[in-house]
Amino acid sequence: MEQVVEDRVYEEIPNLDVARKMIEDYLDYYNQLYHKKMDLVVFNYVIEHVSRIARIIKQPYGHALLVGVGGTGRQSATRLAAHIADNRLFSITLAKNYNRESWRDDMRIMLRQAGSHGQPTVFLFTDTQIREEAFLEDISNILNTGEIPSLFPVEDVDAITESLKQTARDQGRDLNKDALFSFFVERTRIFLHVVICMSPVGAGLRTRLRKFPALVNCCTIDWFSAWPGQALLSVADYFLGDVEIAEGLKPAVVEVCVYMHSSVQEAATRFLHEMRQHVYVTPTSYLELITTFKTLLNKKRLDISGLKQRYDVGLEQLRRTEDEVEEMKQTLEELKPNLLRTAKDTEELISTIERESAEAERTRQGVALEEAACNKKAAASKIIRDECEQQLQEAMPALEAAVKAVSEINKKELSEIRSMQAPSEKIKRVIEAVCVCLEETPKRVVDPSGKVTFDYWDIAKKKVMSDSELFRDRLLN
């Protein structure tokens, strides 16, 4: 792992276990370095392809064309091989507005990284990233000549040549502009390795190879075929390693996964022979099968665990209810004497209430009779009140006339009445009525025959009419 890059040599390893251990160490180191980790199973298939790609990119002008359907591990093998060879991996990132100009910007960055900085670089490019056929034309130019015509503007060419002057001087190269740019192109061809991933499905691969023969002439072709049975076993055993399965069942589950994938491949082959239609069963399908099995197994376990938990809770509730029922029975036995006594008291209370209810009913009937009598008296009183009010209304004019007459009494008139020695009978009657209203006590007079009479005239002259203002005020108020 810590071996100097220049000291690493491509040599034969007769023991595959040693190769597997070495590649696994590199894979662990890769996952420690990069955030996006690779979860790979290093079986013989992976060892073969990683070794081939590493050998290709270790050679000057080494380029590779990886042919295989999607999911066969072309990109993962390339990334791991680039890491083993200590090459920096470069790839484009497609976006919605990615166009020819964005592509040329990426090419400038990549070529300057390899040619100017002398950084060993692996350019990973897949057929799914071909937005325009011009992309393949530029790649063909890189494979043939190491450059893309008219890619760099004049100012960029000046900057590139200026950055390479010292390196060219150390190597005894000419320092003119054309020689320096040729030196840049030469360094690009040495340090840049193009790895192209193509799918053989359809006519696209054939058409592009005819249009751009450099993809074949300048590249080493590595075919990624279907995974062998040993690879399928290794992958299934690896990804099912963290699944809790009985030790006796795990090998059988692995074999079933391999059998299912292999049987589908055989069915696809028969379908091609009989119906002349291709159905591609990729390793990605196999990984999805294993993932689906793990997901379904986990879901079923959660469902069963949930049901078990519900049953356990139900049983616990039943046990708790049974205990509570027993406690309630015991409590009822303890409370039974009190309940009997309470029932007896309740019966007595009911009897008392019935008796008091009967008395209350009788009282209510008496009250109803009294209420009827009161209502009758109230009706009679209302009649009397109405008659009184009617008589009052009839008497009000006389009262008002009397009040007015009293208000008009003056001192002179009272003096004349007081000065009378023998007032008329009418005057005497009026004076008597006034004294009675004012509650004055008359004088008792006994005539010769013994008859008693009451004389109001004398008290009226001396007291009642002595002060005219007081007399009028008493009459009015």
Side-chain angles (χ1 to χ4, degrees):
M1 287 294 298
E2 298 180 358
Q3 185 181 11
V4 181
V5 176
E6 288 74 8
D7 294 340
R8 298 176 187 170
V9 294
Y10 184 83
E11 61 182 1
E12 180 181 2
I13 300 179
N15 190 344
L16 283 177
D17 293 336
V18 176
R20 181 179 294 105
K21 180 63 171 62
M22 184 178 296
I23 293 178
E24 288 176 349
D25 291 342
Y26 278 116
L27 178 62
D28 292 339
Y29 187 49
Y30 177 92
N31 290 332
Q32 294 174 12
L33 287 179
Y34 298 99
H35 178 70
K36 187 176 181 180
K37 303 183 183 303
M38 288 194 299
D39 193 9
L40 295 180
V41 182
V42 183
F43 46 86
N44 295 348
Y45 178 91
V46 174
I47 297 174
E48 293 173 5
H49 288 287
V50 170
S51 301
R52 290 171 191 165
I53 299 171
R55 175 179 59 83
I56 293 170
I57 62 179
K58 285 288 289 184
Q59 297 174 354
Y61 317 117
H63 309 290
L65 174 63
L66 310 183
V67 182
V69 295
T72 50
R74 298 167 299 172
Q75 297 187 51
S76 298
T78 302
R79 296 178 187 277
L80 184 55
H83 172 67
I84 293 174
D86 200 29
N87 278 235
R88 179 174 298 178
L89 187 76
F90 186 90
S91 62
I92 64 173
T93 302
L94 291 181
K96 185 176 180 181
N97 56 348
Y98 194 88
N99 52 22
R100 180 68 186 280
E101 189 57 37
S102 303
W103 164 263
R104 293 179 71 86
D105 290 340
D106 286 336
M107 293 301 100
R108 293 187 189 99
I109 295 172
M110 180 184 69
L111 294 180
R112 294 189 69 169
Q113 176 178 300
S116 296
H117 304 150
Q119 172 66 51
T121 303
V122 173
F123 176 42
L124 177 60
F125 185 74
T126 66
D127 52 1
T128 58
Q129 295 174 328
I130 302 176
R131 283 282 181 88
E132 302 177 15
E133 292 298 317
F135 292 1
L136 283 178
E137 183 179 355
D138 291 341
I139 291 177
S140 179
N141 288 326
I142 293 175
L143 296 174
N144 280 319
T145 64
E147 63 173 326
I148 299 175
S150 303
L151 177 65
F152 294 102
V154 177
E155 57 271 17
D156 286 353
V157 173
D158 292 340
I160 289 170
T161 54
E162 185 65 29
S163 65
L164 288 175
K165 277 186 178 180
Q166 184 59 43
T167 306
R169 184 180 295 110
D170 294 341
Q171 296 185 14
R173 300 293 188 104
D174 292 335
L175 300 180
N176 59 72
K177 185 175 182 179
D178 292 339
L180 288 173
F181 192 76
S182 297
F183 182 52
F184 166 76
V185 173
E186 182 180 346
R187 284 167 60 87
T188 300
R189 298 190 68 186
I190 294 173
F191 292 112
L192 178 62
H193 307 282
V194 180
V195 178
I196 307 171
C197 300
M198 291 282 191
S199 174
V201 179
L205 177 62
R206 295 194 300 271
T207 302
R208 286 164 178 161
L209 293 182
R210 283 196 300 266
K211 290 174 64 175
F212 307 104
L215 298 180
V216 176
N217 299 334
C218 300
C219 294
T220 301
I221 301 176
D222 186 11
W223 283 87
F224 281 70
S225 57
W227 286 358
Q230 182 270 337
L232 298 176
L233 286 171
S234 299
V235 170
D237 186 65
Y238 175 79
F239 283 106
L240 294 176
D242 58 345
V243 179
E244 294 182 4
I245 304 177
E247 290 298 328
L249 292 179
K250 184 171 291 186
V253 173
V254 172
E255 291 178 2
V256 169
C257 291
V258 175
Y259 171 76
M260 293 175 66
H261 185 74
S262 302
S263 61
V264 173
Q265 284 181 325
E266 294 173 0
T269 304
R270 291 198 307 271
F271 190 76
L272 174 62
H273 291 161
E274 296 174 5
M275 307 300 295
R276 299 299 178 185
Q277 291 185 10
H278 286 278
V279 177
Y280 295 97
V281 184
T282 65
T284 302
S285 305
Y286 184 61
L287 296 177
E288 290 177 355
L289 168 65
I290 298 174
T291 303
T292 302
F293 170 76
K294 293 171 65 176
T295 303
L296 184 60
L297 178 63
N298 186 50
K299 181 178 180 299
K300 291 299 180 182
R301 282 178 171 172
L302 289 177
D303 293 343
I304 294 173
S305 177
L307 291 174
K308 180 179 178 299
Q309 184 177 3
R310 289 176 60 186
Y311 289 142
D312 291 341
V313 172
L315 290 174
E316 181 63 28
Q317 290 287 351
L318 290 174
R319 285 194 293 268
R320 188 180 300 114
T321 303
E322 185 179 359
D323 295 339
E324 291 176 355
V325 169
E326 291 297 328
E327 292 180 2
M328 292 173 65
K329 287 181 178 179
Q330 184 177 358
T331 304
L332 286 175
E333 289 295 330
E334 295 174 355
L335 293 176
K336 191 172 182 179
N338 294 332
L339 292 175
L340 295 174
R341 185 169 56 256
T342 304
K344 183 178 180 181
D345 294 343
T346 304
E347 292 177 356
E348 295 177 355
L349 179 61
I350 292 174
S351 300
T352 303
I353 292 174
E354 290 177 350
R355 185 173 60 257
E356 292 179 354
S357 297
E359 295 176 358
E361 179 63 22
R362 288 193 296 272
T363 303
R364 186 188 67 79
Q365 292 177 357
V367 170
L369 294 175
E370 292 180 2
E371 182 182 4
C374 291
N375 290 336
K376 185 176 180 181
K377 293 179 180 180
S381 300
K382 183 176 184 300
I383 294 172
I384 296 172
R385 187 190 65 182
D386 293 340
E387 292 177 354
C388 292
E389 288 181 353
Q390 183 178 1
Q391 294 176 1
L392 178 62
Q393 292 296 328
E394 294 175 355
M396 282 301 294
L399 176 62
E400 292 174 355
V403 171
K404 182 178 179 182
V406 170
S407 301
E408 293 175 353
I409 295 175
N410 54 37
K411 186 176 182 181
K412 181 179 178 181
E413 292 174 343
L414 289 176
S415 298
E416 289 179 0
I417 294 173
R418 289 173 59 198
S419 63
M420 291 180 180
Q421 295 298 323
S424 65
E425 190 65 24
K426 290 183 178 180
I427 294 174
K428 290 178 66 177
R429 292 298 180 191
V430 171
I431 293 301
E432 287 178 3
V434 169
C435 289
V436 170
C437 290
L438 296 178
E439 297 180 351
E440 294 292 341
T441 303
K443 181 178 178 182
R444 184 183 178 92
V445 178
V446 180
D447 60 8
S449 62
K451 184 180 179 179
V452 179
T453 59
F454 296 97
D455 184 14
Y456 287 94
W457 177 249
D458 188 55
I459 193 67
K461 290 193 301 180
K462 293 179 181 180
K463 180 181 177 181
V464 176
M465 294 185 293
S466 62
D467 188 345
S468 59
E469 293 296 331
L470 179 61
F471 177 65
R472 186 167 50 245
D473 184 66
R474 289 181 68 187
L475 288 176
L476 292 177
N477 300 317

